[in-house]
Amino acid sequence: MITLYGIKACDTMKKARTWLDQHGIEYHFHDYKKEGIDADRLHAWCTEHGWEKILNRQGTTFRKLDDADKQDIDQNKAVALMQANPSMIKRPVLDTGSQRLVGFKPDLYAAAF
């Protein structure tokens, strides 16, 4: 089963969900703001793509962190920050089973299906 991870109210999430729906692709939606996300999954995503791509440092949640929390980030610290603040996880993450797509780009989704 394909799983789309993200936050329901996010505009990029809405675009990804619309694309999947329009292309008749069935998926399970996992709202990690409501359902949480386990550290093992975050570590796996970070290993696959790099924590720098998974941790959304452009959002307001990250920008509001204390300066000490923004410094000396490595994968373990990034995972801890994302677990504590799921809004800091780049959205969406689409798990097709064989790969994880980070962010929404219609051409990447089309290539995956």
Side-chain angles (χ1 to χ4, degrees):
M1 176 55 122
I2 295 167
T3 303
L4 183 67
Y5 293 88
I7 296 171
K8 190 173 186 172
C10 171
D11 287 339
T12 306
M13 290 296 308
K14 290 176 186 174
K15 291 175 188 175
R17 292 177 80 172
T18 298
W19 190 96
L20 292 168
D21 292 341
Q22 287 175 344
H23 289 83
I25 298 168
E26 291 186 33
Y27 62 93
H28 167 74
F29 175 62
H30 179 102
D31 187 334
Y32 41 60
K33 201 162 190 178
K34 289 182 181 178
E35 300 174 54
I37 190 81
D38 61 275
D40 289 342
R41 187 172 314 277
L42 287 171
H43 275 289
W45 293 349
C46 290
T47 298
E48 184 177 355
H49 293 283
W51 67 264
E52 298 89 344
K53 187 169 183 176
I54 303 299
L55 178 65
N56 180 8
R57 291 178 281 181
Q58 303 305 314
T60 57
T61 304
F62 184 84
R63 291 193 310 251
K64 288 181 182 179
L65 288 176
D66 293 333
D67 287 340
D69 289 332
K70 295 179 191 176
Q71 296 175 358
D72 302 319
I73 297 177
D74 60 10
Q75 182 168 313
N76 288 330
K77 185 172 181 180
V79 167
L81 286 170
M82 290 184 284
Q83 273 201 289
N85 304 285
S87 295
M88 281 192 235
I89 304 170
K90 178 78 173 175
R91 302 180 292 272
V93 175
L94 180 67
D95 187 339
T96 67
S98 61
Q99 64 180 328
R100 266 80 19 226
L101 305 176
V102 181
F104 173 67
K105 291 194 169 103
D107 57 331
L108 291 179
Y109 274 41
F113 297 102

